[in-house]
Amino acid sequence: MPSSATRIVLQQHVTDDDVQGVAWDLDWNAISVSDRKQATWVDAWATMDGATSIHYVHDGPIGMRYFMIRGHDTVGVAQRIVDTCPTWTLANALDAARLATERDDRLTAVYAMALTAPDDPDPAVSIELRRAAADPDPGIRQSVVIATAYLGWPDLVTLVEELQRADPVDDIRHNAGIMLTGLRKYGPGNSPHASPRRWLRRRRNGNP
């Protein structure tokens, strides 16, 4: 994630209506509203002084929702969001990754780790993603490819290169190759090709 932005990731039970309530309670000015028919959509607000922007991303392909905050008071706005509604932290994302047994919970944990991790490599996150890359479930292995698109850490790139070469599932090898190409061209989190919004074949209830 670019260092100029702060990302706040919402827990799964926080609804879109809850987000609208947060915007109202915190006196944000609406800037734009997206088409809810899209798989991924973004609403935008600004603080009353216009110095800080808040974008709410409904990231349908990975089933996650988060705020991206930029501007003068990113720390203050982020803290007010955290004080208002349940959010993921890296610590509880790691706990979820270690403890989850259901498939959807495991996928959510991988994406929560990717979205809450710092810019610099974190060994604890890498350990959990390497464990996920060895999972017999193809969807769990593919989630590692998606997570790497957000993070771009060298050790994870190497891990996805291994999946590209050796994974038994064609879709995973194909998506790994596309992600790696986009990551090298655009950097983590920025590529229209690396982003799961463009290329993820999302089948959370079956194979990737």
Side-chain angles (χ1 to χ4, degrees):
M1 178 176 61
S3 57
S4 59
T6 297
R7 181 188 286 129
I8 301 295
V9 185
L10 298 175
Q11 292 273 356
Q12 308 315 106
H13 58 278
V14 179
T15 68
D16 295 331
D17 286 342
D18 292 335
V19 170
Q20 296 298 323
V22 170
W24 178 269
D25 292 342
L26 298 182
D27 292 324
W28 298 340
N29 287 324
I31 304 299
S32 63
V33 178
S34 292
D35 181 2
R36 298 308 198 254
K37 296 178 181 178
Q38 300 298 316
T40 295
W41 49 266
V42 181
D43 287 350
W45 296 268
T47 52
M48 291 295 286
D49 61 3
T52 306
S53 66
I54 306 101
H55 290 77
Y56 169 60
V57 182
H58 184 110
D59 199 338
I62 63 170
M64 301 296 290
R65 290 158 305 115
Y66 48 89
F67 290 104
M68 296 294 291
I69 309 163
R70 297 177 176 86
H72 177 70
D73 189 25
T74 57
V75 173
V77 170
Q79 187 59 56
R80 287 189 284 277
I81 294 171
V82 170
D83 290 342
T84 303
C85 56
T87 58
W88 284 99
T89 65
L90 179 57
N92 58 34
L94 283 165
D95 285 342
R98 293 164 182 148
L99 298 174
T101 56
E102 297 297 324
R103 185 177 194 268
D104 280 359
D105 292 340
R106 294 165 70 202
L107 289 170
T108 296
V110 168
Y111 298 134
M113 283 192 300
L115 292 170
T116 58
D119 290 341
D120 295 329
D122 184 301
V125 174
S126 294
I127 287 169
E128 292 305 315
L129 291 179
R130 183 163 288 280
R131 188 165 68 92
D135 197 278
D137 185 325
I140 303 297
R141 299 198 304 276
Q142 178 160 268
S143 73
V144 176
V145 178
I146 310 303
T148 302
Y150 284 102
L151 296 170
W153 300 343
D155 62 320
L156 298 182
V157 170
T158 299
L159 180 59
V160 172
E161 288 172 342
E162 293 171 8
L163 290 174
Q164 182 190 20
R165 287 192 301 270
D167 197 278
V169 176
D170 288 345
D171 280 356
I172 295 177
R173 295 196 306 273
H174 172 77
N175 287 340
I178 293 175
M179 189 283 294
L180 290 167
T181 298
L183 191 62
R184 292 175 184 125
K185 185 173 182 180
Y186 297 98
N190 299 315
S191 167
H193 300 292
S195 170
R197 299 183 194 104
R198 285 290 298 272
W199 57 265
L200 173 63
R201 299 169 186 174
R202 180 173 178 264
R203 300 173 189 161
R204 291 178 71 100
N205 295 318
N207 290 331

